[in-house]
């Protein structure tokens, strides 16, 4: 049995061909083509409303694209049986709602469901994976707590642990750093970076923090309200000029000689469809 950070099936390939997404009459994406491979950590960046979460749901096989195709290992996720798909990709949505009481450990163990036998019984290997991901997400002290009593950040770490326990080689995480304090943001992104460096995972995350994205992502997809869509190595995509355009806020790069950061440098500009008034 692989350890928690070694997927049962490794080296995923996710390919987008002429992908189109719409929100009513508005085009969110029009003809996006790119590929994501094992060893890559992709960060999706852009303002609210440009379709980041919609894109993630399409990549995860939960929504049909409005045009073009998505291929996971050469097959459309929507055409893959759910049980098989769960072994290939794990998806963490932007919001997770607890509907009933359970312990933190049991909530993390939900991630093992794709690996269980027909009787649904967990074995020692499953228990070991759950214990390992709980340590990785700093949850040992919360193991017996009811998830309904947790803070937002604690509950986010439980959801992340359950996603990691799934041991899928392709991870799709919608704002995994949301609600987390800085220490746990760094902890989570360090974990994701280690997984990609090992070369067995491909990871796609949505982030709003440009500096965390630049620090940890190998590749970036930058979206803007006016249809701008840039993708490639993170250092080439997440530049002050590109981010200023996409986020409609002047952004500059500052450095202390060792570290470089992007910071806002002025008031936001109006949206493309906004009218100026005196």
């Amino acid at each position: 049995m692989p350890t928690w950070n070694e997927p049962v099936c490794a080296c995923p390939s996710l390919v987008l061909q002429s992908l189109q997404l719409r929100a009513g009459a508005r085009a969110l994406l029009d003809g996006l083509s790119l590929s994501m491979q094992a060893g890559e950590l992709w960060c999706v960046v852009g303002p609210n409303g440009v379709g980041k979460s919609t894109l993630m749901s399409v990549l995860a096989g939960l929504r049909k694209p409005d045009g073009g195709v998505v291929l996971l290992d050469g097959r459309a996720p929507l055409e893959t049986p759910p049980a098989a798909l769960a072994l290939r990709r794990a998806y963490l949505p932007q919001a997770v709602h607890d509907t009933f009481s359970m312990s933190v450990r049991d909530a993390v163990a939900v991630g093992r469901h794709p690996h269980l036998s027909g009787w649904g019984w967990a074995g020692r290997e499953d228990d070991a994976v759950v214990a390992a991901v709980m340590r990785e997400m700093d949850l040992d002290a919360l193991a017996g707590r009811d998830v309904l009593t947790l803070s937002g950040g604690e509950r986010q770490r439980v959801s992340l642990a359950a996603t990691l326990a799934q041991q899928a080689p392709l991870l799709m995480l919608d704002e995994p750093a949301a609600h987390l304090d800085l220490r746990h943001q760094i902890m989570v992104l360090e974990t994701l970076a280690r997984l990609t460096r090992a070369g067995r995972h491909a990871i796609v995350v949505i982030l709003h923090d440009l500096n965390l994205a630049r620090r940890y992502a190998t590749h970036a997809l930058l979206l803007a309200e006016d249809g701008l869509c840039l993708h490639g190595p993170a250092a080439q995509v997440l530049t002050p000029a590109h981010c200023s355009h996409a986020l409609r806020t002047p952004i500059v790069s500052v450095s202390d000689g060792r570290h470089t950061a992007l910071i806002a440098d002025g008031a936001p500009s109006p949206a493309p469809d906004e009218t100026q008034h005196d």
Side-chain angles (χ1 to χ4, degrees):
M1 179 74 174
T3 58
W4 79 265
N5 56 358
E6 182 180 347
V8 176
C9 304
C11 301
S13 173
L14 186 68
V15 177
L16 286 60
Q17 298 177 348
S18 302
L19 187 68
Q20 297 179 13
L21 297 180
R22 305 190 69 83
R26 178 187 169 205
L28 299 175
L29 288 175
D30 188 11
L32 174 62
S33 296
L34 59 84
S35 63
M36 301 173 177
Q37 308 293 332
E40 296 177 351
L41 173 51
W42 281 80
C43 182
V44 183
V45 179
N48 295 334
V50 293
K52 301 185 298 295
S53 293
T54 300
L55 171 63
M56 193 73 85
S57 66
V58 169
L59 300 184
L62 302 178
R63 182 185 188 276
K64 184 177 180 180
D66 296 293
V69 295
V70 175
L71 298 175
L72 173 55
D73 301 330
R75 188 173 184 179
L78 277 172
E79 299 173 1
T80 304
L85 184 60
L87 293 173
R88 297 299 297 162
R89 70 96 180 96
Y91 168 62
L92 178 65
Q94 186 177 121
V96 178
H97 301 286
D98 298 307
T99 56
F100 55 87
S101 173
M102 70 175 77
S103 71
V104 165
R105 191 198 177 285
D106 287 344
V108 175
V110 169
R112 296 302 300 160
H113 186 266
H115 301 275
L116 302 184
S117 67
W119 293 101
W121 291 336
R124 283 178 295 181
E125 296 87 354
D126 302 297
D127 293 340
V129 169
V130 169
V133 296
M134 288 183 63
R135 284 193 299 272
E136 188 73 21
M137 290 295 104
D138 191 24
L139 292 171
D140 280 347
L142 303 176
R145 282 270 300 275
D146 189 321
V147 292
L148 299 180
T149 70
L150 301 181
S151 70
E154 290 168 338
R155 186 62 187 90
Q156 182 75 352
R157 298 201 324 269
V158 173
S159 297
L160 282 162
T163 304
L164 294 176
Q166 195 171 326
Q167 287 187 306
L170 175 61
L171 301 179
M172 299 180 178
L173 312 174
D174 193 340
E175 297 194 41
H179 310 298
L180 301 184
D181 57 50
L182 182 58
R183 179 175 74 89
H184 286 111
Q185 288 181 34
I186 298 299
M187 180 196 75
V188 166
L189 290 168
E190 288 282 358
T191 295
L192 300 181
R194 286 199 305 273
L195 292 178
T196 50
R197 285 195 299 267
R200 293 185 291 268
H201 289 80
I203 301 177
V204 188
V205 301
I206 294 175
L207 285 179
H208 285 288
D209 189 311
L210 293 176
N211 292 305
L212 290 178
R214 280 166 54 95
R215 176 175 175 180
Y216 289 103
T218 63
H219 295 73
L221 171 62
L222 180 64
L223 306 176
E225 293 173 329
D226 63 359
L228 173 76
C229 180
L230 300 177
H231 56 87
Q236 298 176 21
V237 172
L238 300 178
T239 66
H242 293 157
C243 293
S244 295
H245 177 95
L247 300 177
R248 296 189 293 108
T249 300
I251 293 173
V252 296
S253 175
V254 297
S255 175
D256 65 358
R258 295 180 55 205
H259 304 96
T260 300
L262 297 182
I263 63 170
D265 185 40
S269 59
D273 59 347
E274 288 180 353
T275 303
Q276 296 290 333
H277 298 282
D278 292 335

